[in-house]
Amino acid sequence: MTYCDLHLHSTASDGTDAPSQLPVLAKARGLAAIAITDHDTLAGHDACRAAAEENQIAFIPGIELSIDPGQPRGTFHLLGYFINDQSKALNSIIDQLTQSRLSRNPRIIEKLNQQGIDITEAEVLDLAGEATIGRPHIAAVLVDNGHADSISDAFSKYLGARGSAYTRRDKIQPEEAIPAVQDAGGLAVLAHPIQLKLDPHALEHKIKQLKEMGLDGLEVMHPDHSPDDTLTYQRLAEKYDLIPTGGSDYHGTRKTIKMGSQNVPLAIYERLTHIHAK
Ligand code: AMP
Ligand code: ZN
Ligand code: FE
Ligand code: FE
């Protein structure tokens, strides 16, 4: 069987491989198609597209937007596929999300400093380079400075929802984000539904609401999903006429997951492409 991977991060957000490197790695893994889905940025598209052409791999310009989950617990990420970077609506959302990251990061660092942890914003900016800065960059500095054993240790101790320096940031409402993805010519897909942390009844209700807002697809295959979860989400996708998608959520060395690890059939890429072309 031929496979694809429709959820990849690069150094444009919190991955560790350059956008131009993703197609090279995908080719080495025998994948036929990839999507770049960096958090809240389109900055990796051009370099990734050029490298995909060079390596003869099918390419989807994508994004992963940070959405307000509307509840204290849970993470809501919205994937957008086939994004045209000229959409005013989407670029305005990206600007808002960039601002909310820029105002949150110093607050996290301040909290860490108050707890006696020695870390500066300059160190984080230096490590992140051109990227949209996220908690994984702060985590990497904490590991480098010996304040955490690993990225996930830094999240449990300091940065995660139960961590001592956790700081919320403003996110976007789905009613605004779904139409913005579509304004950019894209398909809107609910990422890793497990991370919403909703019970089965509440999750189905949420999916129904999102479908009414125009949701196009549901990420069924993801490393956080158990085989049972995958089956449940596959059924929900069928019930609500949503395109099932999947990917590894590869972040390079910042996570242990390998590119291509979800064995997403190329047919999923083909179905997305077909629906997008209609
Ligand atoms: P941010 O976008 O700054 O809110 O950071 C969120 C990102 O941190 C997510 O996209 C994940 O890639 C990463 N992340 C969240 N929780 C963990 C964790 N427990 N261990 C490692 N990475 C995490
Ligand atoms: Zn990430
Ligand atoms: Fe995500
Ligand atoms: Fe992701």
Side-chain angles (χ1 to χ4, degrees):
M1 187 139 50
T2 314
Y3 299 102
C4 62
D5 193 333
L6 305 179
H7 193 152
L8 303 176
H9 293 271
S10 78
T11 49
S13 66
D14 56 357
T16 56
D17 294 297
S20 61
Q21 200 53 30
L22 295 178
V24 176
L25 294 169
K27 180 99 182 170
R29 293 202 156 267
L31 300 173
I34 57 166
I36 185 171
T37 54
D38 276 308
H39 300 285
D40 309 330
T41 180
L42 308 173
H45 284 189
D46 291 348
C48 191
R49 180 186 292 109
E53 275 169 23
E54 226 167 88
N55 287 278
Q56 294 176 307
I57 281 193
F59 166 74
I60 300 178
I63 193 164
E64 184 173 23
L65 292 168
S66 311
I67 311 295
D68 184 351
Q71 76 217 15
R73 256 156 58 88
T75 296
F76 184 165
H77 286 169
L78 185 75
L79 292 160
Y81 289 118
F82 303 103
I83 297 295
N84 142 3
D85 61 9
Q86 299 301 312
S87 156
K88 266 201 183 136
L90 185 62
N91 281 305
S92 141
I93 282 183
I94 291 172
D95 289 346
Q96 288 174 56
L97 289 167
T98 307
Q99 282 311 316
S100 85
R101 283 177 182 280
L102 290 176
S103 68
R104 174 196 62 171
N105 297 328
R107 287 188 281 143
I108 296 180
I109 291 164
E110 198 181 335
K111 282 189 191 170
L112 288 166
N113 291 158
Q114 281 164 1
Q115 293 164 33
I117 290 147
D118 175 27
I119 177 173
T120 63
E121 199 180 355
E123 285 174 297
V124 178
L125 294 173
D126 192 42
L127 180 127
E130 302 278 289
T132 51
I133 300 179
R135 284 175 288 166
H137 301 106
I138 303 175
V141 174
L142 289 169
V143 173
D144 288 348
N145 292 358
H147 296 294
D149 297 333
S150 63
I151 300 277
S152 64
D153 184 44
F155 269 88
S156 357
K157 278 189 186 145
Y158 308 113
L159 305 171
R162 292 201 193 89
S164 59
Y166 180 68
T167 308
R168 292 185 69 81
R169 67 180 159 101
D170 290 336
K171 305 211 171 138
I172 301 293
Q173 299 304 317
E175 295 89 328
E176 193 187 343
I178 293 172
V181 164
Q182 292 167 342
D183 182 69
L187 295 171
V189 174
L190 174 60
H192 41 60
I194 190 90
Q195 289 188 15
L196 283 170
K197 295 203 162 74
L198 294 173
D199 66 52
H201 183 77
L203 176 66
E204 182 159 351
H205 183 68
K206 186 87 167 178
I207 287 173
K208 217 166 136 181
Q209 282 181 327
L210 295 170
K211 171 76 186 181
E212 282 160 14
M213 295 174 201
L215 189 72
D216 299 292
L218 192 64
E219 190 176 46
V220 165
M221 303 173 81
H222 184 277
D224 289 358
H225 297 168
S226 72
D228 273 357
D229 295 331
T230 301
L231 199 63
T232 304
Y233 302 146
Q234 181 67 39
R235 288 192 180 130
L236 282 168
E238 281 161 24
K239 183 165 174 188
Y240 291 99
D241 191 24
L242 294 164
I243 313 159
T245 72
S248 67
D249 210 352
Y250 176 72
H251 280 71
T253 58
R254 286 216 180 98
K255 284 193 181 170
T256 53
I257 293 298
K258 295 208 164 41
M259 189 188 291
S261 60
Q262 294 303 296
N263 295 331
V264 180
L266 186 64
I268 290 194
Y269 161 82
E270 287 166 346
R271 182 159 170 211
L272 264 181
T273 308
H274 182 75
I275 290 175
H276 175 249
K278 273 205 264 186

